[in-house]
Amino acid sequence: MSRAAREFRTWYFEEPEHFEGPPFLRIETDKSGVSVVTPLLPRHLTAQETNAALSDMLAGLLSKVQPKRLIAWYYTPMALQFTRELEPDRCVYDNMDELSAFAGAPDGIVEWERRLLSRCDVVYVGGRSLYEAKQDRHDNIHVFPSSVDVAHFRKARYSLSAPSDQAGIGRPRIGFFGVIDERMNTNLVAEIAALRPNWRLIMIGPTAKIDPARLPRAANIHWLGCKNYSALPQYLAGWDVGFMPFAINEATRFISPTKTPEFLAAGVPVVSTPITDVVHPYGAMGLVEIASSGEEFVDRIEYLLKRPRMRWLRSVDDCLSAMSWDDTWTGMKQHLDAFIPARNVNAEARRV
């Protein structure tokens, strides 16, 4: 969206927050030019009342903005509940995960996705496995795997000041960053920690949809909590190996983890469970080691701790050279511009 904001006025309509007071929109424009629009709603509204309020608030925003052309860009089909009355010039579904497989998925999400797919002009999916699962559900669907802000994460390859909560932790450090939820195999984390008590496992990220009290605890597992995106290179700079201990379940069947190229850009070698979109292409290219059990993780991590990095880094940089967010936006926009739905031709002529 930050790339879109270079060419379009861009509003990112967030999920609502609740408080004691009348509804209003909080609009904050960040340095990228994206205006983040957060609806604040009274507590205790029913689902129907919430969607009615969101619909009214969005209509009010659009009446002020009065766009000449409107692109509705969906990240979740549940947003269709309060945007059914929109008549955009383009409709996009940016499908990064199989949301219906996640714990606590909203009721009816499969049906709402069916409705959204019937309305959309173009669909983007976040990985090859998700494309294979949905390619027959839309006639204009394209794969755009996770890109990476190479310049940001490449900072980790250089000497950076150690964050205070990591500076006193011993080496070697084996690190993970990301949301800690039902997609993580916490038993695998505990097993690795038990097999190598001299290693330090650094776990960074917010906990969601699982009970934090049930996370494995050991002297060599360090749960450091959520960190700002801007601070991640400082942490990664102090890690010897990264690991992605994803569970193999319905929630991870179609994921294409953004953190894979981010680890690589940071110059941190990484071991992952056999997630399909990690095995291909990263595992097949020799950029990521693949393991399933605790013993296999320990074996692969020990290998990476000893392996020289220069040849691997050259291969990493060759791979990442065509994976920037700028390239992704350019490709997405080409597909968006190439498809002009017949029903909107006259509408565009009026608005341009």
Side-chain angles (χ1 to χ4, degrees):
M1 290 299 99
S2 66
R3 273 58 178 182
R6 298 172 184 172
E7 302 179 52
F8 301 97
R9 296 180 67 186
T10 304
W11 289 265
Y12 191 102
F13 205 84
E14 271 283 7
E15 294 186 18
E17 297 178 3
H18 296 87
F19 77 127
E20 300 296 342
F24 74 96
L25 289 179
R26 183 178 68 217
I27 302 178
E28 300 172 313
T29 302
D30 68 17
K31 62 182 180 181
S32 73
V34 176
S35 295
V36 179
V37 181
T38 306
L40 281 87
L41 299 178
R43 301 184 192 278
H44 312 306
L45 293 182
T46 66
Q48 184 176 1
E49 290 169 337
T50 294
N51 286 318
L54 293 175
S55 180
D56 289 343
M57 297 168 91
L58 180 57
L61 175 65
L62 291 174
S63 69
K64 293 179 181 178
V65 173
Q66 295 187 343
K68 292 182 178 180
R69 294 173 62 193
L70 177 63
I71 300 173
W73 191 295
Y74 290 83
Y75 282 107
T76 170
M78 302 310 292
L80 196 58
Q81 294 178 106
F82 62 88
T83 59
R84 281 176 286 181
E85 303 304 317
L86 281 184
E87 295 183 358
D89 299 296
R90 299 285 195 282
C91 182
V92 178
Y93 180 25
D94 197 346
N95 182 202
M96 293 301 295
D97 289 297
E98 183 52 78
L99 301 175
S100 63
F102 286 13
D107 292 337
I109 190 171
V110 173
E111 173 59 19
W112 282 110
E113 183 176 76
R114 185 193 65 77
R115 296 183 189 184
L116 180 58
L117 287 168
S118 71
R119 293 168 59 113
C120 278
D121 303 312
V122 59
V123 177
Y124 306 127
V125 291
R128 177 58 54 179
S129 58
L130 199 54
Y131 173 80
E132 291 172 355
K134 297 191 175 182
Q135 60 182 319
D136 296 330
R137 298 180 62 190
H138 199 277
D139 59 5
N140 193 26
I141 184 170
H142 307 277
V143 182
F144 283 94
S146 297
S147 301
V148 59
D149 187 343
V150 172
H152 178 66
F153 283 93
R154 194 181 179 92
K155 298 172 188 174
R157 300 190 188 187
Y158 306 101
S159 179
L160 299 175
S161 59
S164 59
D165 56 351
Q166 182 172 278
I169 298 174
R171 308 289 284 259
R173 297 184 190 131
I174 318 301
F176 169 88
F177 67 98
V179 179
I180 298 162
D181 57 16
E182 81 276 14
R183 293 171 295 175
M184 177 177 285
N185 186 338
T186 54
N187 290 333
L188 182 57
V189 174
E191 187 179 358
I192 296 169
L195 287 169
R196 290 295 182 273
N198 60 311
W199 291 357
R200 303 297 181 225
L201 306 189
I202 311 296
M203 312 297 291
I204 288 177
T207 301
K209 296 183 286 186
I210 58 174
D211 183 1
R214 301 187 66 179
L215 295 175
R217 304 291 173 176
N220 62 333
I221 304 178
H222 304 269
W223 301 95
L224 301 188
C226 191
K227 306 299 177 185
N228 288 332
Y229 178 79
S230 61
L232 288 178
Q234 286 182 275
Y235 286 90
L236 288 161
W239 295 357
D240 299 287
V241 174
F243 77 136
M244 299 193 298
F246 288 112
I248 304 301
N249 57 29
E250 282 302 304
T252 63
R253 182 180 174 188
F254 300 110
I255 64 171
S256 180
T258 304
K259 63 182 58 58
T260 311
E262 291 173 345
F263 266 124
L264 299 180
V268 178
V270 61
V271 183
S272 173
T273 48
I275 298 299
T276 300
D277 285 3
V278 177
V279 174
H280 302 284
Y282 300 104
M285 295 173 65
L287 302 182
V288 173
E289 298 297 310
I290 307 299
S292 296
S293 66
E295 290 85 356
E296 290 177 0
F297 262 82
V298 166
D299 176 76
R300 293 294 82 198
I301 291 171
E302 288 181 334
Y303 163 72
L304 292 178
L305 287 171
K306 298 174 183 177
R307 185 189 69 182
R309 295 192 184 184
M310 290 307 299
R311 179 180 295 179
W312 173 76
L313 283 173
R314 285 196 294 270
S315 298
V316 163
D317 290 341
D318 286 343
C319 175
L320 298 182
S321 64
M323 290 183 60
S324 73
W325 287 113
D326 290 334
D327 292 336
T328 294
W329 168 248
T330 298
M332 285 181 161
K333 188 171 182 294
Q334 285 173 348
H335 288 299
L336 188 61
D337 289 343
F339 188 80
I340 303 176
R343 69 177 185 274
N344 286 336
V345 169
N346 291 334
E348 285 196 355
R350 288 197 308 271
R351 288 182 172 88
V352 171

